Amino acid sequence: MTPLQHPPTLRCLMLLEDTTVIVTESLTKIFPGPQGPSEVLRGISLNIGKGEVFGIIGRSGAGKSTLVRCLNLLERPTSGKVWIGDQEMTALTEAELRRARHSIGMIFQHFNLLSSRTAAENIALPLELIGMPRPEIQARVSELLDLVGLRERAGAYPAALSGGQKQRVGIARALASKPSVLLCDEATSALDPETTKSILSLLKDINRSLGLTIVLITHEMPVVKEIADRVAVLDRGEVVEQGRIFDVFTQPRHAVSRAFVQEVLNRDLPEILLPRLAPPGTREPSTPVIWRITFTGPSANEPILSDLVRHFDLSFNILHGHIDYIQGLPFGTLVVEAHGPVAARDAALATLAQKNLTAEVLGHVADTAAAAA
């Protein structure tokens, strides 16, 4: 019997014995309200691997912040189970939870620093709370200040720090007790784009150097694209899609996922080119046709158009193009006018399909003379 064929609870335990570090099973959360109960999470089941950066993305109200707070039981789920490591968090007493949270760091959108404490003192706080000896605290704080690049700001109070520096203090504080899991709740939402990039770079370095599992809650798809290995898309308290970042970006299946991807990889035909498309049914099939060719992975490095010109005696007018890199793999689109006999164009489309390339027929050219010009 394979793990997927076992009952859910046993399956979760088997996965934990492998490389999975966080498991949620049928997680629900219901809040009371003046209009009646509100179900914020609806049966969330996730497996997050050891050393993985896992993104959870959703619009405001999708339930993502509630979900991350259920992982460390700051919010207790209404039903369902949570495992972190080999511990079933939902079965622990409050005293056991306090001990278990030492292995779970958390950083927040608005930093949550104590204004009366310096950067170094903020980092030291969780170590003081667990009774670590002062010399060990000082050594650990010094190490963390170096890790986040703030040694020269150790004595500065939060009011004297920039947003990026405050978040670096927050990251250092979250790492103080050497956790195996780091939960990030909208950690870059209050930062400008340049600072966001530096914080994501720091998190990526921490993930690689410490082997830390990072769960990244965000409503910004560029953040997920920059750092995550896999992503779960939340909508109205449900996971509507999850998978590798490259797969979700290049082949989003759900409307919510497609909307998020569109914000990063705009594949729409530019408005200035729309007049080139003839209204449906108004042109003969023999007129030039407009294709959008999608390149993924190794195919992005092949001379596709020159091969089509050589083998099918077609000619192309390139109208628009874009290429990006997702997890180090190229992904691009190219919009072209294809000129040539209908049979040759059909044969070229078949060849593209054989090469696992997507070619969409957007329409025929509205004005052949204008296209030629």
Side-chain angles (χ1 to χ4, degrees):
M1 183 177 287
T2 67
L4 291 178
Q5 293 172 319
H6 282 283
T9 298
L10 178 57
R11 181 170 71 243
C12 290
L13 291 174
M14 293 174 70
L15 286 167
L16 285 170
E17 290 174 359
D18 190 11
T19 59
T20 305
V21 71
I22 300 175
V23 174
T24 70
E25 179 190 314
S26 302
L27 210 61
T28 67
K29 179 63 181 179
I30 300 173
F31 289 103
Q35 307 301 321
S38 175
E39 192 173 17
V40 177
L41 299 179
R42 306 166 185 262
I44 303 291
S45 295
L46 297 171
N47 298 317
I48 300 174
K50 183 177 181 180
E52 182 175 28
V53 180
F54 191 90
I56 298 175
I57 190 167
R59 303 293 187 195
S60 178
K64 54 190 184 298
S65 290
T66 300
L67 174 56
V68 78
R69 289 173 63 84
C70 283
L71 294 183
N72 59 6
L73 273 288
L74 290 177
E75 287 285 357
R76 187 166 285 276
T78 304
S79 64
K81 297 178 180 179
V82 178
W83 282 264
I84 294 185
D86 59 357
Q87 290 186 302
E88 183 186 339
M89 302 292 287
T90 38
L92 301 180
T93 66
E94 287 302 317
E96 291 169 334
L97 268 177
R98 285 194 292 272
R99 290 192 293 271
R101 288 187 185 121
H102 294 163
S103 65
I104 307 169
M106 190 163 184
I107 58 176
F108 306 88
Q109 177 180 0
H110 297 297
F111 322 125
N112 289 12
L113 302 182
L114 296 178
S115 60
S116 61
R117 282 180 164 246
T118 65
E121 290 167 346
N122 267 283
I123 297 169
L125 181 59
L127 302 177
E128 294 171 1
L129 294 176
I130 62 174
M132 180 179 284
R134 175 58 56 181
E136 293 181 29
I137 290 178
Q138 291 174 340
R140 180 64 177 155
V141 169
S142 178
E143 177 185 348
L144 289 166
L145 285 167
D146 285 339
L147 179 66
V148 300
L150 287 180
R151 172 169 288 280
E152 295 181 357
R153 305 294 285 159
Y157 288 90
L161 299 175
S162 68
Q165 289 171 335
K166 289 176 185 177
Q167 195 57 284
R168 286 172 181 268
V169 174
I171 292 170
R173 181 184 57 190
L175 297 177
S177 59
K178 299 185 178 180
S180 58
V181 170
L182 181 63
L183 307 178
C184 307
D185 189 7
E186 297 280 10
T188 60
S189 295
L191 306 176
D192 61 72
E194 185 176 349
T195 305
T196 292
K197 191 169 184 177
S198 71
I199 292 297
L200 293 178
S201 178
L202 174 61
L203 289 174
K204 190 182 297 184
D205 288 344
I206 289 170
N207 166 255
R208 290 172 178 170
S209 61
L210 302 181
L212 198 64
T213 301
I214 297 178
V215 180
L216 191 70
I217 300 292
T218 184
H219 65 275
E220 300 171 300
M221 202 61 162
V223 169
V224 170
K225 173 179 174 288
E226 181 71 23
I227 188 174
D229 301 303
R230 290 192 300 137
V231 64
V233 182
L234 258 62
D235 184 44
R236 299 178 184 181
E238 296 181 299
V239 174
V240 296
E241 184 165 356
Q242 62 176 306
R244 291 193 317 142
I245 290 295
F246 188 83
D247 295 336
V248 173
F249 265 85
T250 57
Q251 295 179 320
R253 298 188 307 273
H254 194 275
V256 173
S257 307
R258 290 193 291 272
F260 274 121
V261 170
Q262 179 73 6
E263 295 174 3
V264 182
L265 306 176
N266 189 343
R267 299 174 68 245
D268 287 345
L269 195 65
E271 191 171 333
I272 196 172
L273 296 178
L274 292 178
R276 300 181 80 94
L277 285 175
T282 63
R283 302 300 298 176
E284 293 295 326
S286 59
T287 58
V289 69
I290 297 179
W291 295 345
R292 176 167 55 208
I293 305 172
T294 302
F295 302 82
T296 59
S299 66
N301 298 316
E302 297 180 12
I304 300 298
L305 287 187
S306 61
D307 286 348
L308 297 181
V309 170
R310 185 167 59 254
H311 290 111
F312 300 102
D313 197 26
L314 297 174
S315 60
F316 294 96
N317 178 21
I318 296 176
L319 301 179
H320 177 66
H322 178 265
I323 191 165
D324 208 328
Y325 286 84
I326 304 165
Q327 291 183 324
L329 297 174
F331 172 73
T333 58
L334 190 63
V335 178
V336 299
E337 283 180 10
H339 296 252
V342 174
R345 297 196 313 239
D346 289 344
L349 287 174
T351 297
L352 291 174
Q354 291 171 1
K355 293 178 175 290
N356 294 320
L357 295 170
T358 301
E360 304 167 74
V361 178
L362 300 183
H364 289 267
V365 174
D367 186 343
T368 305

